[in-house]
Amino acid sequence: MDDAGVTVIVVLHRALIEDKHDESSPAAVVVVSADAAGDTTSNGNFLGYANMLSGKGLLRRVVVDECHLVITLSDWRPKLALLKNLRLLPCPIVLLTATLPPVREGELATSMLLPCATYIRASTVWPNTQYYVSWCERGKAQETALAMCRRQQQLLLHRGEKGVVYCRSKQQCEELAEALRCACYHASDIERVERLKQWLLDGGLIVATSALGTGVDFPGIMYILHVGMPWSMIDYAQESGRGGRAGERVDAVVLVEKGEVERTIKQKSSDLDVQAIGMFIISSGCRRGLMSGYLDGRRVECNDLETAGCDRCGEGVRGWQDEQMEANAEWQQVQEVLGYITYCNANVSGKRNARVSETPTFCQDHLSLYLLFHVLSTRS
């Protein structure tokens, strides 16, 4: 198809692309940053380039990926509001997203000047994902998350699997990653690409902000933990959706402090996305049904699918309880064995045969990993 023309793809994640377009020999697909796509003020602006393609009869369509970010990120990325200028181009505009609630279609249409858009929807339900909520005392979220992650890190490494821990701040992200001795990922980290590549090779946990929430598709992610209430239902659907990309079963856990959700939904009473994630966490109904009802406009519950369910539904309740009891028993075995160990053969603080302290050290962490492998092998 030599005369197929040019398709422009607008990507909203700066880290995933490199803006490059060649006027003399345009490619069949041109990728451009959303921050540049609608800008009409800069020299050599993209709209000028696109109009040149149109004048030559080459421009076929413009595709905007993850278009929901136009309305969810515009407060701190004001250039996204300029994407409406794409309507100046004489070609079809295609907007793609997996997480646009029906109640927000009007906002997107207004933002992109698309009053007569045609909507084609598919279900957002992930039947292989099990949704759970865990509670802790106020001020104990990071401490509780660290205990959960230490146990989960060892299980994932033993099984050759991956997990993502989402934090609400860069500081918390870095602190948890340092305590766990695992990779971290946030937008300000200049080494994030290298860290991501290493995590894909090594497996285990990576601690991230919402910078790793959309636009990534990696197999083998079996565990998702949110430390604190997710920013919104859209954010949670995107981030929990990083798991199970190859059809694996995924445990998606939200860890919240008591009273946290109630305070947040009261403070942001006019934000529909925040209200939706709040109801997902504290309401008594099926979590999958609450999520699908908001994102799709059609409620699909765990009992409607061939799935083990969330922690509110049938087998999901028992499965969650059994998994927690089993994991706690395994961890207790490791801790009991560690209690009998007086000396460690590795160097600790520059001394050989130093006494193992109650504070985890490099030696003790690796020893507990070995012991957990031993526990798992004796149970299999």
Side-chain angles (χ1 to χ4, degrees):
M1 297 178 63
D2 294 337
D3 60 346
V6 177
T7 294
V8 173
I9 300 178
V10 179
V11 181
L12 283 87
H13 294 278
R14 302 186 186 100
L16 299 181
I17 66 168
E18 177 183 354
D19 295 334
K20 185 179 295 185
H21 47 266
D22 183 356
E23 295 187 10
S24 61
S25 180
V29 176
V30 174
V31 181
V32 62
S33 161
D35 291 309
D39 189 1
T40 60
T41 60
S42 61
N43 292 329
N45 65 75
F46 176 76
L47 283 175
Y49 169 73
N51 274 309
M52 179 275 296
L53 292 177
S54 178
K56 294 182 177 181
L58 294 175
L59 184 62
R60 294 292 181 265
R61 65 193 64 83
V62 174
V63 179
V64 181
D65 192 26
E66 304 290 0
C67 67
H68 65 277
L69 298 178
V70 173
I71 56 176
T72 61
L73 296 186
S74 57
D75 287 345
W76 62 278
R77 285 179 66 180
K79 287 188 176 181
L80 296 184
L82 298 177
L83 285 176
K84 63 178 180 291
N85 291 333
L86 293 173
R87 294 290 286 131
L88 297 171
L89 299 174
C91 68
I93 306 291
V94 180
L95 307 181
L96 302 178
T97 179
T99 49
L100 178 68
V103 295
R104 303 200 68 177
E105 288 178 357
E107 290 180 66
L108 183 64
T110 300
S111 298
M112 293 296 295
L113 303 179
L114 296 169
C116 301
T118 299
Y119 292 88
I120 302 173
R121 284 188 168 273
S123 174
T124 62
V125 172
W126 288 81
N128 55 323
T129 301
Q130 295 183 284
Y131 301 101
Y132 309 115
V133 174
S134 185
W135 302 87
C136 66
E137 296 298 325
R138 189 170 182 175
K140 297 291 186 180
Q142 188 158 329
E143 177 184 333
T144 305
L146 184 57
M148 294 171 65
C149 290
R150 279 182 173 148
R151 182 179 65 208
Q152 195 65 42
Q153 171 80 321
Q154 295 175 344
L155 293 173
L156 290 170
L157 289 170
H158 176 61
R159 297 168 181 167
E161 299 167 352
K162 304 180 188 71
V164 183
V165 180
Y166 285 104
C167 298
R168 289 174 61 93
S169 70
K170 297 174 185 177
Q171 179 180 348
Q172 186 182 56
C173 175
E174 292 174 349
E175 289 175 354
L176 270 178
E178 182 178 2
L180 292 167
R181 297 188 178 91
C182 70
C184 69
Y185 186 101
H186 57 73
S188 301
D189 185 357
I190 60 175
E191 297 180 351
R192 63 183 180 276
V193 175
E194 290 73 19
R195 296 181 194 275
L196 188 64
K197 290 179 180 178
Q198 193 61 48
W199 169 67
L200 291 173
L201 291 173
D202 297 341
L205 290 174
I206 187 171
V207 186
T209 63
S210 57
L212 198 63
T214 55
V216 292
D217 187 355
F218 305 125
I221 298 177
M222 314 284 282
Y223 181 77
I224 304 288
L225 172 65
H226 279 79
V227 183
M229 180 178 172
W231 293 109
S232 72
M233 179 62 89
I234 289 178
D235 288 314
Y236 181 66
Q238 286 283 347
E239 291 162 7
S240 62
R242 296 312 96 199
R245 308 298 285 189
E248 307 95 337
R249 173 183 155 175
V250 181
D251 287 339
V253 184
V254 178
L255 172 65
V256 287
E257 297 179 357
K258 293 179 180 178
E260 175 185 356
V261 178
E262 291 82 356
R263 290 192 303 273
T264 303
I265 61 178
K266 184 177 181 179
Q267 292 167 357
K268 299 186 177 182
S269 58
S270 62
D271 191 320
L272 287 177
D273 286 337
V274 173
Q275 299 300 307
I277 189 61
M279 292 301 100
F280 172 87
I281 295 172
I282 65 176
S283 292
S284 58
C286 169
R287 300 195 196 280
R288 194 184 308 276
L290 290 163
M291 178 183 284
S292 60
Y294 180 68
L295 292 175
D296 299 336
R298 176 176 175 269
R299 192 179 177 100
V300 177
E301 299 193 352
C302 296
N303 293 331
D304 299 325
L305 304 170
E306 293 183 2
T307 177
C310 67
D311 60 354
R312 291 276 174 74
C313 295
E315 292 296 326
V317 178
R318 290 188 289 274
W320 171 244
Q321 293 172 344
D322 290 345
E323 284 185 11
Q324 294 306 297
M325 291 178 63
E326 181 179 333
N328 287 334
E330 290 174 351
W331 187 247
Q332 183 63 34
Q333 285 181 272
V334 172
Q335 297 296 77
E336 288 175 358
V337 174
L338 282 173
Y340 289 105
I341 298 176
T342 305
Y343 294 98
C344 177
N345 290 327
N347 287 331
V348 179
S349 302
K351 298 179 180 180
R352 294 190 60 84
N353 298 325
R355 185 176 181 84
V356 177
S357 66
E358 294 181 0
T359 303
T361 64
F362 178 83
C363 173
Q364 190 173 350
D365 283 348
H366 282 70
L367 184 57
S368 64
L369 177 60
Y370 164 77
L371 290 169
L372 182 57
F373 287 175
H374 176 69
V375 169
L376 291 172
S377 64
T378 58
R379 295 179 66 252
S380 60

